[in-house]
Amino acid sequence: MGVRLFLTFCVAVSCLSPADSWTALERGKQALGRGDLVAAERAFEEAVRLEPENAHALKFLGQAYSAQEKLREAEPPLRKACTLNPAEENACYYLGRLLYTVGRLVEARSAFDRALTQRAGRGRSLDGLALTLEAAGDFAGAERGFREAIAAGGSTAPVDYGLFLFRQGRLRESEDALARAGAQTELARVRKAERESPTGAPGAASPLSVQFAESTLPMILRNGATGDKHLPETMLGGVAVFDFDNDGWPDIFVANGATMPGLEKIDASFSNRLFHNNRDGTFTDVTAKAGVAGAGYSMGAAAADFDNDGWVDIAVTGLRGITLYRNRGDGSFENVTARSGLTQGRWGVAAGWFDYDNDGWLDLFVVHYVAWDPAAEPFCGDHPPGGRTYCHPRFYAAQPNALFHNERNGTFRDVSRESGIAAHLGKGMGVAFGDYDGDGRLDVMVTNDTMPNFLFRNQGDGTFR
């Protein structure tokens, strides 16, 4: 009987062995080599499931996440790999680079210091440390670090050092360093900056100066104003910049208005618009093909990959609630609002995606403004001579914000009440996320119109204070 039970259990778990983990790891490396990051991620995830303490697999999983800019997901496997085995090639280095990228400089320096306890990869670790010191304002330490990195054979250190000199305004030294490194593109940039310097002297022209060239998007934002001074006319339209087709170039989505007071997009002039980046400073309107023209009076936009399929999706807020578009990956989007559970109908000005419970799936925070009814718009201003004006927000009732938990199956659950978010009435205009107290959980900042802002501290148990 005991043997039979063992065999049944063995079948249930497929009798997985380290060889299975090795196979998954090799599949991931092959996928990584051919640039198939989604396949690589899945293979490495399988390898880690089979051997959770395999630092080699954890490192590659972190790399696959990082290559797709899934930095939050990349940190845990890289940190674990670095902790389990600092000698695992570049594990601590990659952790340091990730932390440097997100601006956590103290932690980044610690990771690079740990990487430097190993002989392998010393040049690149010194280079990463030098970049971190520069970002922290220790320019003398950074310069010593770059020189040590070059001496230790760091492959990118000569170029990074040349660019460091450029950022310090030491243009001629930068030019010499980049010429020695054979960095022709960077060298051309430095020489251009030197030519444009009024005196030709190093530092006379700031290497950090930025110039903008105008590129017109073929649309006019329409708020539907008729002269009746309806409040929503004053605050559209949101913009999201994201790479919807994964070609490496950011595209632009613009939320557009509708008629007043009917709140209908009666023709294409009121359509939301998606513009594809032509890679030459111009954009092409691909709204019709993408299927994101929308309906109703739109306000804000928030782009993120909510279903973890490697394609960025988009949520659009408006006067009648939220619209959720799922990116099909073929240049078009599917309106999945009805089945998503995001059916709340309050006036949403803005929204943001963040993983509040650290389960690897993005949740949605929606910022609500005030209770507004076009049929009951109060009259503000003067009866002639001054005429009607837009009403102050005090004439409208505050509203609770909303938090939706990602159920990992294409649907969301409204957790506004149980999380404590709905207990606070505001007149929200914007939202930002960050771990302000360094406890590993994302907190929420909501800006309010004409009343105090909200800072919600994530307590780690599904609730906010």
Side-chain angles (χ1 to χ4, degrees):
M1 182 64 177
V3 173
R4 183 179 179 183
L5 287 173
F6 170 78
L7 290 174
T8 302
F9 177 75
C10 185
V11 170
V13 299
S14 302
C15 295
L16 298 172
S17 69
D20 297 296
S21 173
W22 182 87
T23 301
L25 190 58
E26 289 305 305
R27 286 204 315 273
K29 291 179 181 179
Q30 291 172 7
L32 203 60
R34 64 176 181 269
D36 189 346
L37 298 178
V38 174
E41 174 188 322
R42 290 171 181 165
F44 293 140
E45 285 176 339
E46 181 184 347
V48 169
R49 279 196 300 271
L50 297 174
E51 286 192 275
E53 305 299 304
N54 186 328
H56 194 58
L58 287 161
K59 178 192 73 175
F60 275 106
L61 177 58
Q63 284 183 262
Y65 284 142
S66 294
Q68 299 172 82
E69 297 187 0
K70 296 181 177 180
L71 302 185
R72 191 177 300 124
E73 293 91 334
E75 182 181 349
L78 288 175
R79 186 176 294 280
K80 188 173 181 180
C82 177
T83 301
L84 284 171
N85 184 11
E88 171 59 42
E89 186 179 5
N90 294 323
C92 296
Y93 166 79
Y94 288 127
L95 174 63
R97 286 307 296 249
L98 183 151
L99 295 168
Y100 162 77
T101 299
V102 300
R104 290 157 61 183
L105 302 180
V106 174
E107 294 175 85
R109 183 168 182 174
S110 177
F112 288 128
D113 284 341
R114 190 160 191 175
L116 287 168
T117 62
Q118 309 301 315
R119 295 179 63 87
R122 186 172 178 80
R124 70 182 339 191
S125 296
L126 284 166
D127 189 30
L129 179 58
L131 289 167
T132 303
L133 291 172
E134 180 192 359
D138 182 0
F139 302 124
E143 183 158 8
R144 286 195 302 271
F146 284 125
R147 289 177 174 175
E148 290 178 13
I150 293 171
S155 60
T156 60
V159 177
D160 285 339
Y161 180 49
L163 294 176
F164 164 79
L165 295 169
F166 178 47
R167 290 188 291 270
Q168 294 296 304
R170 295 156 60 181
L171 302 185
R172 289 176 182 165
E173 291 178 80
S174 171
E175 183 177 339
D176 290 342
L178 293 172
R180 288 194 300 270
Q184 296 303 315
T185 300
E186 293 82 358
L187 181 58
R189 177 185 171 196
V190 171
R191 285 175 171 164
K192 182 174 183 291
E194 191 167 5
R195 286 196 303 272
E196 293 174 353
S197 167
T199 66
S206 170
L208 299 178
S209 63
V210 177
Q211 294 182 345
F212 291 90
E214 179 181 329
S215 179
T216 302
L217 296 179
M219 74 169 292
I220 296 174
L221 196 67
R222 298 196 61 187
N223 65 358
T226 62
D228 290 330
K229 306 295 183 180
H230 294 295
L231 185 62
E233 299 165 6
T234 66
M235 57 186 68
L236 81 163
V239 175
V241 179
F242 66 112
D243 182 9
F244 83 90
D245 56 353
N246 286 352
D247 67 351
W249 293 75
D251 311 296
I252 303 176
F253 177 92
V254 184
N256 206 352
T259 59
M260 274 291 183
L263 309 183
E264 300 293 338
K265 295 186 186 297
I266 58 174
D267 57 48
S269 69
F270 288 106
S271 294
N272 301 328
R273 300 294 181 87
L274 179 62
F275 296 97
H276 180 258
N277 191 328
N278 296 328
R279 312 183 188 188
D280 61 359
T282 66
F283 293 81
T284 298
D285 188 337
V286 294
T287 307
K289 178 183 177 182
V292 292
Y297 206 105
S298 303
M299 279 274 168
D305 179 12
F306 80 85
D307 55 357
N308 287 351
D309 66 351
W311 298 90
V312 180
D313 314 294
I314 187 163
V316 182
T317 63
L319 288 176
R320 290 174 172 167
I322 312 159
T323 303
L324 180 62
Y325 293 103
R326 179 181 175 274
N327 192 332
R328 292 189 177 106
D330 61 358
S332 70
F333 291 76
E334 177 187 7
N335 186 337
V336 296
T337 311
R339 68 170 181 265
S340 71
L342 301 175
T343 55
Q344 193 193 78
R346 291 192 179 96
W347 176 358
V349 172
W353 297 96
F354 75 126
D355 182 8
Y356 78 88
D357 56 354
N358 289 342
D359 66 351
W361 293 75
L362 291 175
D363 311 296
L364 183 65
F365 192 102
V366 181
V367 178
H368 292 135
Y369 189 51
V370 298
W372 179 81
D373 181 355
E377 187 80 78
F379 182 92
C380 296
D382 299 320
H383 293 286
R388 187 167 190 155
T389 62
Y390 291 105
C391 291
H392 190 278
R394 67 174 177 269
F395 290 96
Y396 306 89
Q399 295 291 293
N401 298 304
L403 177 61
F404 296 93
H405 180 262
N406 192 329
E407 299 292 282
R408 314 184 193 186
N409 58 5
T411 68
F412 293 80
R413 179 167 56 91
D414 189 340
V415 295
S416 308
R417 289 184 180 276
E418 65 189 73
S419 67
I421 295 296
H424 305 274
L425 302 184
K427 299 178 181 180
M429 296 292 284
V431 63
F433 310 106
D435 180 12
Y436 82 90
D437 54 358
D439 64 357
R441 298 184 290 267
L442 286 175
D443 311 295
V444 185
M445 180 74 186
V446 178
T447 57
N448 284 311
D449 193 9
T450 70
M451 62 179 292
N453 302 320
F454 296 149
L455 176 59
F456 292 107
R457 181 178 182 272
N458 188 336
Q459 305 200 94
D461 58 0
T463 67
F464 290 80
R465 177 168 62 83

